[in-house]
C-alpha cells in the first residue's frame, strides 16, 4: 500500500466515519453523508424474527414435542474428538486453510502518514481504514478501500463467497477488550495460574467476525421423579439464540458470550471495517444438527441445575425444536485467543474471548480430565433491546390430559406454581467445573 487519503467532509472539512447501516461515510460535525460508491452490498437481508409463543389451552401448555423424547447421545462427529478440539486456532488454519495461513505470514507492518496532522504511525498491511492515534481522524488505503471487495488476508475458511453480508457492529475497542480479559484473569487467579495469558492478551488477542445462525430454541427434558412421580419434565426456551456456523472457534466458548442484541444488525462490507481483524467464513460441511445437539444439551443440563436444582448428570430423555429466523445468518464480533497445552500446566489449554458488542469476557480451561467455564458479569449500565438473547426461566411441567396438555408445577428459582415463565438476559457471572468423560481404550486409539 503506497497511497493513503484523508476521509474528510467535502462540506466542512471535518473527519468522516464509516457507517455500515447507511452504507456511507458520515461527517461528525455537519452531518453530511457520502455513499461509499458502487459495489456496496444491499440492505435487504436484515433479520426477520419469527418468535412462536407457547400454545395455551384453558391455562394449560400444549406440547406435542413430548412424544418425541429420547435418550441423549454423545455426538460421534469427528471434529468433537480431542485430536481436533485440542488444536489452536493457528493450527486449525494451517491444517484447514493453508492458503490463508500463507497470507497471514506475508502480512507486514506499514507506516502511514496522517494527511490531517502530519504524524506518522504504523498499521497492518491487511487494513483498509486506519485511525490516527495523534488526532483521531480516519485514513483510507486507496488500493483496498473499495466497496464490496474482500481481502484474502481477512478470510478464514472456505472463502469470501461464504461470508454473510450482514453483521453485528463491534462496539468494544481493542484496548477495552484486553482490559476486560485481564479483569477476568484477575478475578480467577488460581484458574489461570501457570499459563502465559498476560502476554497472549497483549500480543495475540485479535478481533474476529464469526459466522453464526440465529434461531429460537425450545427444549423439553425429563429427569428422575421425586417420591411417587415417574419423571420430572422440564421446559426450556432460549429466544434469539445463536449457534456457530464455523468450527474455527471453540464451540463451548462461543456459547458463553451471549447475550447478543440483534436490533443492531447492519449490512457488512469488510472493505469499510476499521482496524485489523479476521473473518471466519461459513463452513458448508459443518453439520448444524451436531453443533446444536452439543450446545443445546449443555443448556438443558446447566439451566436445570441452576434454576431447579436437578442434577445435570441425571437427564434421561430430551428433544428440542429450533425455529430459525429468516435471514438469520450473520457475523458476530469477538476478540479471541487460545494457548496450546504445551504452554501451561498439566496439559491444560486456555481459550479466552470477549464479546465485541457487549464486552462480556469468558474463558474455557480444559484438559483430559476436567473442563472449567468462567463468565464475567455484564456491565450494569448496558442496555439491551427486546431482540436480544434471553433464557426463559426453566419450568417444571406435568402431563394433565390429551392432547399433550401440561400444567406448570413450579417455576425455576422461586419454588412456586402457576403463572408464566419469565424470560431474562443472563447478566451475572459464573464459574463451572466439570469432569471430562473418560475415553475408552479403543476411543483413545482411534480418536483421531
Amino acid at each position: 500500500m503506497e497511497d493513503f487519503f484523508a476521509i474528510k467532509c467535502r462540506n466542512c472539512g471535518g473527519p468522516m466515519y464509516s457507517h455500515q447501516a447507511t452504507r456511507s461515510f458520515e461527517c461528525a460535525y455537519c452531518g453530511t453523508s457520502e455513499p461509499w460508491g458502487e459495489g456496496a452490498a444491499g440492505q435487504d437481508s436484515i433479520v426477520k424474527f419469527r418468535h412462536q409463543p407457547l400454545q395455551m389451552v384453558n391455562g394449560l401448555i400444549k406440547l406435542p414435542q413430548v412424544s418425541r423424547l429420547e435418550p441423549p447421545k454423545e455426538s460421534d462427529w469427528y471434529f468433537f474428538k480431542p485430536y481436533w478440539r485440542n488444536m489452536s486456532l493457528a493450527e486449525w488454519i494451517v491444517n484447514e486453510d493453508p492458503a490463508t495461513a500463507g497470507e497471514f505470514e506475508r502480512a507486514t507492518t506499514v507506516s502511514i502518514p496522517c494527511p490531517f496532522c502530519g504524524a506518522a504511525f504504523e498499521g497492518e498491511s491487511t487494513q483498509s481504514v486506519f485511525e490516527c492515534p495523534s488526532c483521531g481522524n480516519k485514513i483510507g488505503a486507496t488500493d483496498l478501500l473499495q466497496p464490496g471487495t474482500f481481502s484474502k488476508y481477512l478470510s478464514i475458511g472456505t472463502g469470501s463467497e461464504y461470508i454473510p453480508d450482514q453483521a453485528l457492529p463491534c462496539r468494544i475497542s481493542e484496548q477495552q477488550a484486553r482490559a476486560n480479559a485481564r479483569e477476568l484473569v484477575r478475578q480467577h487467579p488460581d484458574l489461570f495460574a501457570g499459563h502465559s495469558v498476560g502476554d497472549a492478551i497483549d500480543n495475540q488477542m485479535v478481533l474476529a467476525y464469526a459466522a453464526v445462525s440465529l434461531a429460537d430454541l425450545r427444549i423439553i427434558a425429563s429427569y428422575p421423579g421425586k417420591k411417587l412421580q415417574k419423571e420430572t419434565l422440564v421446559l426450556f426456551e432460549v429466544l434469539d439464540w445463536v449457534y456457530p456456523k464455523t468450527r474455527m472457534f471453540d464451540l463451548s466458548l462461543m456459547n458463553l458470550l451471549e447475550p447478543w442484541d440483534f436490533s443492531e444488525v447492519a449490512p457488512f462490507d469488510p472493505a469499510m471495517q476499521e482496524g485489523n481483524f479476521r473473518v471466519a467464513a461459513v463452513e458448508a460441511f459443518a453439520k448444524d444438527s451436531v453443533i446444536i445437539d452439543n450446545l443445546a444439551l449443555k443448556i438443558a443440563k446447566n439451566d436445570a441445575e441452576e434454576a431447579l436444582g436437578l442434577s445435570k448428570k441425571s437427564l434421561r430423555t430430551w428433544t428440542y425444536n429450533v425455529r430459525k429466523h429468516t435471514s438469520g445468518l450473520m457475523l458476530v464480533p469477538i476478540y479471541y485467543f487460545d494457548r496450546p497445552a504445551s504452554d501451561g500446566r498439566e496439559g491444560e489449554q486456555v481459550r479466552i474471548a470477549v464479546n465485541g458488542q457487549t464486552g462480556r469476557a469468558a474463558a474455557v480451561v480444559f484438559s483430559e480430565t476436567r473442563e472449567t467455564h468462567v463468565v464475567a458479569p455484564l456491565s450494569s449500565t448496558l442496555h439491551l433491546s427486546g431482540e436480544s438473547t434471553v433464557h426463559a426461566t426453566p419450568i417444571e411441567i406435568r402431563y394433565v390430559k390429551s392432547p399433550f396438555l401440561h400444567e406448570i408445577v413450579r417455576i425455576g428459582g422461586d419454588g412456586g406454581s402457576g403463572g408464566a415463565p419469565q424470560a431474562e438476559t443472563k447478566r451475572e457471572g459464573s464459574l463451572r467445573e466439570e469432569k471430562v468423560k473418560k475415553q475408552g481404550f479403543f476411543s483413545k486409539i482411534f480418536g483421531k
Side-chain angles (χ1 to χ4, degrees):
M1 295 186 296
E2 296 182 356
D3 297 324
F4 300 93
F5 65 94
I7 304 176
K8 63 180 179 179
C9 180
R10 297 179 183 178
N11 183 43
C12 71
M16 303 191 81
Y17 298 87
S18 178
H19 196 290
Q20 291 284 326
T22 61
R23 321 301 289 159
S24 63
F25 289 112
E26 296 192 354
C27 178
Y29 292 91
C30 70
T32 297
S33 178
E34 294 186 13
W36 286 344
E38 295 183 4
Q43 300 188 54
D44 58 353
S45 61
I46 301 302
V47 178
K48 297 177 180 64
F49 299 96
R50 303 172 63 239
H51 302 304
Q52 185 176 37
L54 288 171
Q55 185 177 358
M56 304 297 293
V57 179
N58 297 324
L60 301 176
I61 305 175
K62 188 174 183 179
L63 296 169
Q65 301 95 330
V66 173
S67 63
R68 301 197 297 269
L69 292 176
E70 58 183 27
K73 298 178 181 178
E74 293 290 335
S75 174
D76 60 355
W77 195 35
Y78 68 105
F79 278 111
F80 284 145
K81 302 297 183 183
Y83 174 80
W84 292 99
R85 193 198 173 191
N86 294 352
M87 284 187 181
S88 66
L89 179 58
E91 291 171 329
W92 264 105
I93 296 173
V94 169
N95 279 273
E96 299 290 295
D97 190 1
T100 298
E103 294 283 356
F104 287 172
E105 291 180 0
R106 289 189 288 273
T108 59
T109 300
V110 294
S111 179
I112 298 97
C114 179
F116 288 96
C117 68
F121 61 94
E122 292 185 342
E124 297 293 325
S125 60
T126 55
Q127 296 178 236
S128 301
V129 180
F130 303 83
E131 179 176 336
C132 176
S134 299
C135 66
N137 286 306
K138 306 297 180 182
I139 301 161
T142 304
D143 57 345
L144 291 179
L145 197 56
Q146 301 295 326
T149 61
F150 197 88
S151 170
K152 287 177 63 179
Y153 285 105
L154 304 177
S155 176
I156 301 173
T158 49
S160 59
E161 64 269 29
Y162 296 102
I163 301 296
D165 60 4
Q166 59 184 0
L168 292 179
C170 184
R171 303 295 189 194
I172 303 299
S173 68
E174 184 176 327
Q175 292 76 14
Q176 186 60 55
R178 288 174 176 168
N180 291 3
R182 290 192 197 97
E183 178 62 18
L184 185 72
V185 173
R186 187 193 67 80
Q187 292 177 355
H188 304 278
D190 293 340
L191 181 63
F192 299 101
H195 297 284
S196 303
V197 290
D199 290 340
I201 290 172
D202 291 334
N203 302 311
Q204 297 180 22
M205 178 174 277
V206 297
L207 173 62
Y209 285 88
V212 302
S213 191
L214 177 62
D216 286 349
L217 175 66
R218 183 173 292 171
I219 306 171
I220 302 172
S222 72
Y223 297 80
K226 297 180 180 179
K227 298 179 181 179
L228 299 179
Q229 288 182 281
K230 292 183 179 179
E231 65 178 2
T232 296
L233 281 178
V234 181
L235 171 65
F236 310 85
E237 282 194 293
V238 185
L239 304 180
D240 292 336
W241 177 62
V242 300
Y243 60 90
K245 298 286 289 184
T246 173
R247 300 159 293 121
M248 292 295 173
F249 307 100
D250 191 278
L251 297 180
S252 296
L253 182 54
M254 287 289 293
N255 217 33
L256 301 177
L257 293 175
E258 58 184 29
W260 301 94
D261 189 341
F262 300 100
S263 67
E264 297 187 325
V265 175
F268 181 79
D269 194 311
M272 300 300 170
Q273 297 292 309
E274 298 176 14
N276 191 30
F277 65 97
R278 302 287 182 258
V279 178
V282 173
E283 296 179 59
F285 50 86
K287 298 180 180 179
D288 278 5
S289 59
V290 292
I291 291 177
I292 294 172
D293 278 355
N294 182 280
L295 298 180
L297 187 58
K298 291 179 180 178
I299 290 173
K301 290 181 176 181
N302 294 326
D303 283 13
E305 188 170 79
E306 293 173 8
L308 295 169
L310 299 171
S311 171
K312 66 177 67 179
K313 296 179 181 179
S314 66
L315 189 149
R316 288 179 171 176
T317 59
W318 79 314
T319 187
Y320 66 80
N321 175 262
V322 173
R323 186 177 178 82
K324 297 180 181 179
H325 296 318
T326 304
S327 300
L329 184 65
M330 69 186 72
L331 297 164
V332 294
I334 63 171
Y335 290 90
Y336 183 93
F337 77 88
D338 51 21
R339 305 299 303 147
S342 59
D343 172 65
R345 62 183 185 186
E346 301 174 359
E348 284 184 333
Q349 293 178 258
V350 176
R351 291 168 182 169
I352 295 180
V354 176
N355 183 316
Q357 184 191 44
T358 67
R360 163 161 275 175
V364 175
V365 180
F366 64 97
S367 66
E368 292 185 358
T369 59
R370 67 173 182 174
E371 180 165 330
T372 304
H373 297 174
V374 59
V375 181
L378 285 178
S379 168
S380 59
T381 60
L382 178 67
H383 172 74
L384 297 169
S385 77
E387 290 297 352
S388 58
T389 311
V390 293
H391 285 236
T393 303
I395 56 174
E396 182 183 340
I397 56 177
R398 179 167 53 218
Y399 174 77
V400 176
K401 59 182 179 180
S402 180
F404 308 111
L405 298 180
H406 296 73
E407 66 177 356
I408 296 177
V409 177
R410 62 172 172 142
I411 300 175
D414 65 4
S417 61
Q422 300 297 310
E424 59 183 24
T425 297
K426 290 192 172 182
R427 287 184 168 270
E428 71 280 1
S430 64
L431 185 148
R432 184 172 64 251
E433 183 174 316
E434 302 174 358
K435 290 185 178 180
V436 176
K437 186 176 180 180
K438 293 184 178 180
Q439 290 183 287
F441 176 74
F442 289 103
S443 296
K444 290 183 178 180
I445 296 177
F446 300 109
K448 298 184 182 183

